Structure formats: C-alpha cells, structure tokens
Amino acid sequence: MSGTTRSRVLAALRETEGYLSGQELCERLQISRTAVWKAVQKLTEDGYRIEAVQNKGYRLLSLPETLSAEELESRLKTSWLGKKVYAYETVDSTNNRAKQLAMDGAVNGSVVLAEIQTAGKGRRGRSWCSPPGSGIWMSLILKPEFMPECAPMLTLVMAHSVAMGIRETTGLEAFIKWPNDVVVNRKKVCGILTEMSAEVDYIHHIVIGCGINVNIAGFPDEIAQTATSLLNEAGRTFSRAAVAERVLEWFEKDYEIFIKDLDLTGLRDTYNDLLAGRDGMVRVLDPKGEYNGISRGIDARGELLVEQEGKTLRKVYAGEVSVRGIYGYS
Ligand code: BTN
C-alpha cells in the first residue's frame, strides 16, 4: 500500500468531526474496504489513535508527534509542493539526501525530512546542530527553468516563508535576519542552506535546506547565546508538522510570486516589514573594508541597501559580506 493512500485516509479522518464510515471512506477515496482497513492498521502502528466502532466507522482520537510523510502529505493544501515527501529516521544531511534523490529523478517540489541528521550542514562549512525529534530538518527539491543567477534569491524567499509560517502557527514575532536566518527575540530559530547543481546556463536542481528549532529545550554552550527554539520563546511545544505545513504552504505561494518577475519585486515590501534591524545602524563586515550605515531594506534583487552619510546607498551582496546589527540585533 502506498504512503499516499495512508495520507489520504488520514486527511479524510482529520477533516471529519465525528465518525467516518468505512463505506464513505471507500467511496470518497475510490479504494477497497481492505485498503481502508490496512491504512488504519498502519496508522495505528505509527502511533495514531483511531477508534473503530461498528455501524459508525472510524474516528481520529489523537496524533503522534511525528513528522512523517503521511502526517505532512495529509495536511498540505499545496498544488505542487510536497506532493511527494521522503521521510527518513536518520540521514547524514537532508540536503545531501535531497541532492541524491534529485539526481535519481525525484520530481520538482519533492520534500525530504529526517528525524535525525548525523552531519547536518550549516553555511560556510559549519555544522548544524540537529537533535533528534525536536526540530524540522527539511530540504526542498526544485527543478526550475530559470537561469542559475536567480537561484540565490530563493534563500530570501524561503526566509520570508519561514517567518510567515512561524508567525501564523505560533503567534511569535519572527523576523528575518538578512539574508537567510529567522530570529525570534534576536536569537536564531532557523537557518537556510541553498545548494545548486548547474551548468553556466542550466539548472539541474536546487536544494533548499531549512532547519527550524521547534521543541529544543537546550543548546550546546557554543551556540547557547545566539540560538533559540520556538519552545524556549513561547514556553510551550508545537506540532512540528503544523509548522512545516504552513512554511511549505507559504513557500509555494511566495515562489509563485517570485517566478512572475524572477526577482523579489512582489515580496520586497513584506520581506522588508519582517527585516530585523531595519532603519537601524548596521556594521558591514566587508573584507575590502568594514563600514557602518543604516539598513534600508532589500532591493528587488535581494541586496541589502545600506545608507551612509550623505544619503548614499551602498548595495550589500549576500554571500560576500556579513552584516551585524549595532544597536538592537546581532
Ligand atoms: C545555516 O544557518 O548555517 C544554515 C543551516 C541549514 C540547516 C538545514 S537542516 C536541513 C538541511 N540539511 C542540512 O544539512 N542543512 C539544512
């Protein structure tokens, strides 16, 4: 039985307030009684509590706190993103696994998840702390038709989607730390790592890796001052599947806005509204010479505009330099 059948049974049970009869399930999903029964069995093994009452049908009582393929697929209200979810218990890095799957023919919009990453990767060769079962370690596979130079902007698109998804599911005031971190109360809750396989004028695939610290209670000393989780900031745990669902739904919407102009024209205003330290002093750590200025938000290409004395605007390119907040955010 395919995971998709289980996802569809789960989606139908989730949508129904009371009992859903076996007959109704068969008709709605166009599957046999045996297929329904097998799906319910498998879901029960996976930790879903499903009540079965004769002459009434099935009723979903409770969900496990898992981030399984079924859980995510059954929630997603997207049209192409996450139609195929690959979920693993343990991988080295979901980005590495996604790259392999992309080379092996995984379709555009596939999503890769893992409970445990043994070698989670951060930007600039750093590692990413990925404790088991308490974060969203997720990579998206895209096979777009645009030119490779547009790809770096997708990191900013993803940051926008993550900030919006977190705001909606938790009520926390998530902000974007340009270009690609999401922070809550000035501490990092999410990092994004975009990787690409391309020729000069042709993209084979892009992998957007996203790590969201959801229910992590404590961090190693090296990052304890700068990292946080949704749990630590809100004082309660969250369903990882609910957060991942909203982030992906936002990403599909944001990506379609991005694709219209192949830049950030359509997202720029909301990105800038979510930008940490906007209109505040920043220090640009340019290897050619550091300087201070006022952050004025991004332009349509995603470059940060930094105003210097005399009102001249300097463009800061992501990837080349770091920007630190001087008063207020780090
Ligand atoms: C950073 O802030 O340095 C980027 C961190 C990116 C972490 C995510 S977790 C899922 C995906 N798989 C990885 O190995 N890295 C990204």
Side-chain angles (χ1 to χ4, degrees):
M1 182 196 14
S2 72
T4 314
T5 306
R6 288 201 296 275
S7 307
R8 292 169 66 219
V9 169
L10 185 56
L13 290 174
R14 197 198 301 283
E15 278 161 19
T16 311
E17 279 277 310
Y19 293 91
L20 184 57
S21 76
Q23 185 63 32
E24 169 83 31
L25 263 170
C26 295
E27 281 166 17
R28 223 195 266 180
L29 306 182
Q30 293 290 296
I31 53 174
S32 67
R33 279 251 178 197
T34 319
V36 167
W37 185 81
K38 279 191 182 162
V40 169
Q41 285 299 109
K42 184 71 183 75
L43 288 167
T44 309
E45 281 165 28
D46 291 345
Y48 292 87
R49 284 177 51 237
I50 299 169
E51 188 186 26
V53 177
Q54 239 181 0
N55 300 327
K56 281 189 170 174
Y58 300 104
R59 185 163 68 118
L60 185 60
L61 297 178
S62 69
L63 324 165
E65 211 309 276
T66 52
L67 190 47
S68 61
E70 290 80 43
E71 184 60 28
L72 191 56
E73 283 173 356
S74 68
R75 284 172 175 268
L76 280 174
K77 292 174 259 324
T78 48
S79 54
W80 55 269
L81 185 61
K83 289 289 134 188
K84 176 70 193 157
V85 177
Y86 298 86
Y88 300 94
E89 183 59 27
T90 307
V91 295
D92 57 348
S93 145
T94 55
N95 268 30
N96 289 352
R97 183 56 65 98
K99 283 191 264 181
Q100 189 58 52
L101 287 163
M103 285 190 286
D104 294 345
V107 296
N108 178 51
S110 299
V111 171
V112 182
L113 297 170
E115 286 292 300
I116 301 170
Q117 293 191 115
T118 53
K121 298 189 295 184
R123 289 165 63 229
R124 299 172 192 212
R126 289 188 286 250
S127 62
W128 179 257
C129 165
S130 333
S134 45
I136 300 171
W137 321 132
M138 167 167 89
S139 300
L140 279 50
I141 298 173
L142 299 175
K143 296 188 166 175
E145 283 174 7
F146 53 69
M147 296 294 273
E149 60 263 26
C150 296
M153 285 184 275
L154 287 177
T155 306
L156 283 79
V157 175
M158 189 69 196
H160 180 270
S161 313
V162 171
M164 293 304 290
I166 288 178
R167 280 175 174 248
E168 274 187 6
T169 43
T170 67
L172 289 167
E173 293 206 329
F175 289 96
I176 301 168
K177 182 172 173 233
W178 181 87
N180 53 357
D181 291 344
V182 177
V183 294
V184 175
N185 295 326
R186 297 181 196 151
K187 286 181 151 193
K188 179 162 167 173
V189 287
C190 167
I192 298 163
L193 173 67
T194 301
E195 299 184 86
M196 171 166 68
S197 161
E199 291 167 35
V200 176
D201 57 353
Y202 177 78
I203 296 176
H204 296 291
H205 58 258
I206 296 175
V207 166
I208 306 178
C210 166
I212 307 178
N213 302 330
V214 181
N215 297 324
I216 301 177
F219 290 88
D221 287 349
E222 317 86 78
I223 54 170
Q225 296 305 312
T226 51
T228 191
S229 66
L230 304 181
L231 162 67
N232 284 355
E233 297 310 312
R236 68 181 182 92
T237 57
F238 293 96
S239 152
R240 288 177 297 150
V243 177
E245 172 200 343
R246 285 309 289 143
V247 167
L248 291 171
E249 285 164 358
W250 268 102
F251 185 81
E252 183 176 282
K253 209 156 49 171
D254 290 344
Y255 182 84
E256 281 165 11
I257 295 173
F258 165 80
I259 219 84
K260 277 192 203 133
D261 305 294
L262 280 179
D263 67 22
L264 296 158
T265 302
L267 294 171
R268 180 181 169 182
D269 288 350
T270 45
Y271 186 102
N272 283 335
D273 287 344
L274 294 169
L275 188 63
R278 182 168 172 207
D279 296 328
M281 283 294 278
V282 289
R283 181 156 190 83
V284 180
L285 309 181
D286 189 331
K288 293 187 213 112
E290 298 186 5
Y291 59 92
N292 292 346
I294 302 168
S295 159
R296 292 297 187 203
I298 59 161
D299 64 10
R301 299 288 302 169
E303 294 139 358
L304 187 70
L305 303 171
V306 175
E307 185 182 308
Q308 291 201 286
E309 274 171 41
K311 302 266 176 233
T312 52
L313 282 179
R314 280 175 79 163
K315 287 182 179 182
V316 184
Y317 299 91
E320 290 177 8
V321 293
S322 297
V323 175
R324 301 258 180 282
I326 293 186
Y327 311 115
Y329 93 108
S330 51

